[in-house]
Amino acid sequence: MRTSMFRSVETAIRRASSSSTTSHIVRRSYASGSHPERKVAVLGAAGGIGQPLALLMKLNPLVSSLSLYDIAGTLGVAADVSHINTRSEVKGYTGEDQLGQALEGCDLVIIPAGVPRKPGMTRDDLFNINAGIVKGLAAAIAKYCPNALVNMISNPVNSTVPIAAEVFKKAETYDEKKLFGVTTLDVVRAKTFYAGKAGVHVADVNVPVVGGHAGVTILPLFSQATPAGSNLSDEEIKALTKRTQDGGTEVVEAKAGKGSATLSMAYAGAVFADACLKGLNGVPNIVECSYVQSTITDLPFFASKVRLGKNGVEEVLGLGNLSDFEKEGLENLKAELKSSIEKGIKFANS
Ligand SMILES: NC(=O)C1=CN([C@@H]2O[C@H](COP(=O)(O)OP(=O)(O)OC[C@H]3O[C@@H](n4cnc5c(N)ncnc54)[C@H](O)[C@@H]3O)[C@@H](O)[C@H]2O)C=CC1
Ligand SMILES: O=C([O-])CC(=O)C(=O)O
């Protein structure tokens, strides 16, 4: 699960910022094809997540064409980001009549479109607005880029992924290997919180997070965290688990009505998108946690470690050994996750 996203970004910045003649030559030969052409779209690109995510995707050398779409405000964001001297060409699209152009030819579509939480709300409280937004965007993806990988960020992820799956099924374009709920922020938080408590270097830490992306459905597996052997007590593991599950709420409360996590989410979204692009490009052994169609439990969608490849999901990895506390957490999350999945399926078919 270690990612070289930072290294890629660093390399891109170094390449772009050097002004020597040699670097122009290097840059030209680089742009002419050391990586395949990849078109990536961000839907909701003018929003709190969309803008920093657009920036991070512009810094990613695996992207050759960056398509920024929103219902309003995209052209300014696209003009701004387009001036950065990295590989990709940037185009902005605004309004539904430009959605098709934004999507045509995409290899990867990232969706942070929709409303965020305010204090006191659950992610499910966003369902009424975001379910319709996701349904519409999924229908457009089925029409204009049915083969693209889809990274769903819009909440409630536990329901929006099943909604997109149903829309794709109806359009006869569904490929379960290509639809991902982005749960990377849970992993990012689990790594950060664990490193702080265990006193280990955060860059070395790996922690799988399984289940879903809301409250108790977020199940970090600290018993599998590496580096291990930090002698954390049961109480400390419980507190780390709770903090990971409540990480989104911690940010919502700190922002006090001004939305939810945007910067850490953009980072997490960029890490996951980078992993998807590497998989598409044939880089071996790319593994990230994601909420996907799954048979590793009795639930039809479940987050776990996933190996990424040229067609999206190459393999959904099992849960490994769980502690008794994690086994209990797994049983406790099933009812809520099942009902969120069923709610999404019912909505998509209504
Ligand atoms: N999966 C995860 O871990 C996380 C998910 N989120 C979710 O991401 C979503 C976006 O959050 P923010 O960027 O903070 O919200 P925001 O309100 O700042 O931005 C959302 C953007 O979506 C756009 N939008 C609305 N309808 C659209 C449509 N039909 N097509 C294209 N764009 C549309 C809006 O114009 C706006 O620019 C929320 O649902 C939030 O809950 C947020 C953090 C983490
Ligand atoms: O908490 C929220 O509403 C946004 C989110 O999903 C997160 O930060 O994990």
Side-chain angles (χ1 to χ4, degrees), residues 257-268:
K258 296 227 163 79
S260 55
T262 52
L263 304 174
S264 52
M265 181 59 238
Y267 167 75

Side-chain angles (χ1 to χ4, degrees), residues 160-183:
T160 52
V161 169
I163 290 171
E166 289 304 302
V167 171
F168 296 155
K169 279 180 202 165
K170 268 198 201 157
E172 298 181 358
T173 65
Y174 184 51
D175 180 348
E176 73 276 10
K177 292 183 171 57
K178 297 192 167 174
L179 177 59
F180 302 86
V182 181
T183 57

Side-chain angles (χ1 to χ4, degrees), residues 17-91:
S17 61
S18 166
S19 59
S20 74
T21 314
T22 323
S23 103
H24 285 305
I25 295 164
V26 170
R27 221 182 310 155
R28 222 175 296 129
S29 68
Y30 178 78
S32 69
S34 51
H35 297 294
E37 304 280 300
R38 294 290 177 204
K39 179 174 173 181
V40 175
V42 178
L43 310 184
I49 296 167
Q51 291 199 36
L53 182 56
L55 167 65
L56 292 172
M57 296 316 294
K58 176 68 176 126
L59 299 183
N60 190 319
L62 302 182
V63 182
S64 58
S65 167
L66 183 60
S67 173
L68 303 179
Y69 172 81
D70 204 305
I71 48 174
T74 345
L75 299 185
V77 176
D80 190 354
V81 167
S82 74
H83 289 184
I84 297 170
N85 56 326
T86 52
R87 179 189 184 199
S88 52
E89 266 191 72
V90 181
K91 287 196 183 138

Side-chain angles (χ1 to χ4, degrees), residues 43 99 103 109 111 134-148 150 164-175:
L43 310 184
L99 180 54
L103 290 173
V109 180
I111 312 183
V134 164
K135 193 175 174 184
L137 294 174
I141 290 168
K143 186 166 174 195
Y144 294 106
C145 55
N147 296 318
V150 176
E166 289 304 302
V167 171
F168 296 155
K169 279 180 202 165
K170 268 198 201 157
E172 298 181 358
T173 65
Y174 184 51
D175 180 348

Side-chain angles (χ1 to χ4, degrees), residues 43-50 69-72 111-117 123 126 130 133 137 152-157 182-186 189 213 259-262 265:
L43 310 184
I49 296 167
Y69 172 81
D70 204 305
I71 48 174
I111 312 183
V115 290
R117 282 201 283 167
R123 291 179 180 81
L126 304 173
N130 290 354
I133 292 174
L137 294 174
M152 184 68 71
I153 293 174
S154 312
N155 271 315
V157 167
V182 181
T183 57
T184 319
L185 184 52
D186 302 316
R189 286 175 177 143
H213 179 68
S260 55
T262 52
M265 181 59 238

